[in-house]
């Protein structure tokens, strides 16, 4: 069953020192399961805020968001069970091993196969030899692989990634992009990535630029990059 997220006339503003700051106003945007999207733009444009609104984790100042699944049209509150989130800072629990970090979302849902599924996903992202290591014992690229496995372990319909390669060196960033796009494609998950990286943005099927409170579709930059297929 395919699904999509629709934002209609979404605005976001907040008060700073008795002044009102508007990030964006009356935005309209839709993203579909099985497609990949990049959101680019200058710092402070509101990219991360838009990602949080789109995922249903924050509420807009005005406007509405909808989660359409088959013939059902619901508010974005119903989307939370069907999303995974990947952050720039990894947000792994330091006291847990890699496998327990990945298994945690499943355990919270009462899944008795949580450990086995977590182990399988760590194997898919190339970390079968590191499952019993804690985050402090892993490199930045390895920690982000754990974060990807954690986000995808319950096979969500949509994955939201906020600067997923922002803290990584070029080689690690490329490897993470390979894994992220391949895993989402093979699992038919919609992927929405906020990034400053032109190379990462060009991996997406659709690119949107957020600037000056408005969002616009953007053409891809032609590159000679070879996209590496990763089995997931």
């Amino acid at each position: 069953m395919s699904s999509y997220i629709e934002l209609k006339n979404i605005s976001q503003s907040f008060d700073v020192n008795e002044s009102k700051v508007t990030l964006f106003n009356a935005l309209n945007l839709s993203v579909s399961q099985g497609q990949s999207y990049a959101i680019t733009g200058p710092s402070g444009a509101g990219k991360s805020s838009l990602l949080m609104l789109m995922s249903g984790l924050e509420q807009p100042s005005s406007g509405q968001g909808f989660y359409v699944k088959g013939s059902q049209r619901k508010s974005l509150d119903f989307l939370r069970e069907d999303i995974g989130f990947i952050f720039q800072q990894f947000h792994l629990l330091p006291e847990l091993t890699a496998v327990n970090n990945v298994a945690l979302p499943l355990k919270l849902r009462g899944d008795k196969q949580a450990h086995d599924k977590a182990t399988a996903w760590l194997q898919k992202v190339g970390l079968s030899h590191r499952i019993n290591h804690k985050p402090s014992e892993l490199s930045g690229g390895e920690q982000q692989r754990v974060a990807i496995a954690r986000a995808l372990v319950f096979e969500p319909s949509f994955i939201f990634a906020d600067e997923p390669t922002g803290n990584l060196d070029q080689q690690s960033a490329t490897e993470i992009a390979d894994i992220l796009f391949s895993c989402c494609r093979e699992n038919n998950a919609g992927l929405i990535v906020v990034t400053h990286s032109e190379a990462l943005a060009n991996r997406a099927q659709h690119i949107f630029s957020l600037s000056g409170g408005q969002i616009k579709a953007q053409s891809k930059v032609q590159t000679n990059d070879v996209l590496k297929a990763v089995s997931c």
Side-chain angles (χ1 to χ4, degrees):
M1 181 188 300
S2 63
S3 56
Y4 64 93
I5 298 166
E6 182 180 23
L7 303 183
K8 299 191 70 175
N9 295 317
I10 291 289
S11 300
Q12 188 69 311
S13 59
F14 53 91
D15 295 324
V16 177
N17 297 327
E18 300 182 356
S19 297
K20 185 177 182 180
V21 176
T22 299
L23 290 177
F24 41 80
N25 186 51
L27 294 189
N28 293 283
L29 183 66
S30 64
V31 296
S32 299
Q33 184 180 352
Q35 296 285 301
S36 58
Y37 305 82
I39 300 175
T40 66
S43 297
K47 301 184 299 297
S48 294
S49 292
L50 180 59
L51 200 70
M52 296 296 285
L53 293 178
M54 196 181 302
S55 64
L57 298 179
E58 288 186 2
Q59 296 298 315
S61 302
S62 62
Q64 291 180 294
F66 300 97
Y67 177 35
V68 182
K69 190 173 184 179
S71 61
Q72 297 183 317
R73 185 180 180 87
K74 300 180 178 181
S75 75
L76 290 182
D77 292 335
F78 291 89
L79 178 62
R80 296 178 186 179
E81 291 295 313
D82 288 340
I83 68 169
F85 220 108
I86 300 167
F87 300 91
Q88 181 178 357
Q89 302 295 337
F90 316 134
H91 290 304
L92 302 177
L93 295 178
E95 68 274 15
L96 297 183
T97 61
V99 69
N100 284 327
N101 263 288
V102 177
L104 184 59
L106 294 175
K107 289 180 178 179
L108 294 174
R109 296 178 180 214
D111 191 327
K112 295 182 179 179
Q113 295 181 308
H115 189 276
D116 291 342
K117 290 179 179 179
T119 300
W121 266 100
L122 285 170
Q123 182 176 7
K124 289 180 181 182
V125 300
L127 284 183
S128 58
H129 62 301
R130 306 287 270 171
I131 64 172
N132 292 317
H133 289 71
K134 293 182 178 180
S136 62
E137 302 170 309
L138 303 174
S139 69
E142 288 172 333
Q143 290 184 63
Q144 195 62 298
R145 289 175 187 236
V146 176
I148 290 173
R150 180 183 59 188
L152 284 160
V153 70
F154 54 92
E155 300 181 357
S157 299
F158 293 92
I159 294 292
F160 295 90
D162 194 355
E163 296 285 2
T165 62
N167 283 338
L168 305 178
D169 61 69
Q170 186 58 55
Q171 181 178 345
S172 295
T174 299
E175 291 173 353
I176 289 301
D178 290 337
I179 292 169
L180 184 57
F181 279 89
S182 293
C183 288
C184 285
R185 183 169 57 249
E186 291 187 22
N187 287 274
N188 194 37
L191 174 62
I192 304 94
V193 179
V194 161
T195 183
H196 282 101
S197 167
E198 186 177 277
L200 181 60
N202 272 294
R203 300 289 295 264
Q205 293 166 294
H206 312 275
I207 304 176
F208 292 98
S209 177
L210 180 63
S211 180
Q214 299 298 314
I215 194 164
K216 296 179 180 179
Q218 182 178 321
S219 298
K220 288 191 178 185
V221 176
Q222 295 298 317
T223 69
N224 295 320
D225 291 343
V226 177
L227 304 188
K228 182 180 177 183
V230 177
S231 178
C232 203

